[in-house]
Amino acid sequence: MAKRLLIRPGAIGDFIVSLPALEALARPGDFTEVWCAEQNVPLSRFADRARSIGSSGLDRLGITHADDVVDRLKQFDEIISWYGENRPDFRELVAEMGLPFRFLRALPDSSCHAMDFYAAQARELGAEAAGNPRIICPDMPRTFAVIHPFASSLGKRAPMAVFQTAAEKLERSMPVHWLCGPEEELPGAMRITDLYELACWLRGARIFVGNDSGISHLAASVGTPVNVFFRASDPRVWAPRGEAVNVVRESVRQ
């Protein structure tokens, strides 16, 4: 049985669009471990083991004493890493140590959707990534609407008035829940920090309204209809993929 390590840094949306590729690289019969951003560990349910990059000690490699990290990395027959691909010093260091790293480009260009970009990388490694990102959650009736008016930067956020108008319309036919993240403030909003628990809750929504954010990708990955506003980034590359995703281009007003 081969032991494989997948090192996938990045934010929530970055992780979700690469999820089909990661799942394809976790070959049946082998042992697969994933190192990723801490918030994405609960989404690595396809892996035999998952841990945060921070807890792995990988950031210490080449900077301070890290024999324990080297010993841990030597346990793997293959290491596929998006971490360090743009750092020649890191690549040279692990090569000198004889560690079985294979580096993949972390960010797509504008030529294709990010999910297709990562799927092509998996294909080059002999694994076929099929379908849209999908997080399996218990089935439940869809009874409410979710509005998440936040994103990682102000430039990605549609005006709050857009979401207030959406809430007023949706409240005529269903309960509406506002959602915020661990570092976001919105009085009365839902806050679920574990991303798998949040995915399961979003599975019960009839519609999700949000910005270009990781949580919009999360909602789409559980099959919830998504209405998503794009302002700063290109939806041809970064739009969520799911069963029912509607992208609205919201122009940036000065």
Side-chain angles (χ1 to χ4, degrees):
M1 178 178 68
K3 294 188 68 175
R4 181 175 298 104
L5 173 62
L6 308 177
I7 306 178
R8 178 64 176 116
I12 299 168
D14 302 323
F15 188 84
I16 292 175
V17 293
S18 63
L19 195 54
L22 294 169
E23 292 172 338
L25 291 167
R27 296 182 176 93
D30 291 344
F31 177 90
T32 300
E33 185 164 332
V34 172
W35 295 1
C36 58
E38 184 173 3
Q39 75 268 20
N40 294 328
V41 170
L43 301 181
S44 305
R45 297 171 67 83
F46 63 92
D48 297 288
R49 182 186 299 152
R51 66 186 305 169
S52 69
I53 292 173
S55 70
S56 73
L58 191 62
D59 293 333
R60 291 191 278 117
L61 210 60
I63 298 175
T64 185
H65 180 77
D67 287 349
D68 58 323
V69 183
V70 176
D71 289 342
R72 194 174 300 128
L73 291 169
K74 286 181 176 179
Q75 297 174 8
F76 296 97
D77 302 297
E78 182 181 25
I79 301 172
I80 299 171
S81 181
W82 290 266
Y83 176 101
E85 61 88 18
N86 62 346
R87 290 173 50 194
D89 57 331
F90 184 83
R91 298 200 308 270
E92 291 171 8
L93 177 65
V94 298
E96 290 171 2
M97 293 177 174
L99 296 171
F101 270 77
R102 178 159 183 169
F103 291 97
L104 300 180
R105 191 152 59 95
L107 292 174
D109 55 29
S110 59
S111 63
C112 66
H113 192 278
M115 196 198 78
D116 299 327
F117 171 80
Y118 296 115
Q121 290 182 332
R123 196 175 304 115
E124 290 176 2
L125 295 174
E128 193 64 36
N132 295 326
R134 189 179 179 205
I135 297 171
I136 305 300
C137 296
D139 200 10
M140 63 184 66
R142 296 188 182 276
T143 58
F144 55 88
V146 175
I147 296 181
H148 179 245
F150 300 99
S152 58
S153 67
L154 290 175
K156 289 184 175 183
R157 300 180 185 182
M160 184 61 77
V162 170
F163 296 101
Q164 291 169 336
T165 299
E168 291 170 1
K169 293 180 179 178
L170 290 167
E171 283 170 346
R172 299 169 189 167
S173 55
M174 68 188 83
V176 173
H177 296 295
W178 292 78
L179 177 67
C180 67
E183 299 177 358
E184 298 160 351
E185 293 297 331
L186 186 63
M190 293 286 296
R191 192 190 304 269
I192 303 173
T193 56
D194 182 290
L195 287 181
Y196 181 69
E197 292 180 5
L198 177 55
C200 292
W201 180 71
L202 289 170
R203 183 72 178 86
R206 288 173 59 185
I207 185 170
F208 173 95
V209 182
N211 293 304
D212 168 23
S213 74
I215 306 305
S216 294
H217 286 273
L218 190 66
S221 73
V222 297
T224 295
V226 168
N227 205 63
V228 57
F229 295 100
F230 266 75
R231 306 186 86 200
S233 51
D234 188 347
R236 294 173 298 180
V237 180
W238 293 111
R241 286 258 180 105
E243 297 172 9
V245 175
N246 179 48
V247 174
V248 179
R249 293 304 301 265
E250 170 69 23
S251 61
V252 179
R253 301 181 178 90
Q254 302 296 330

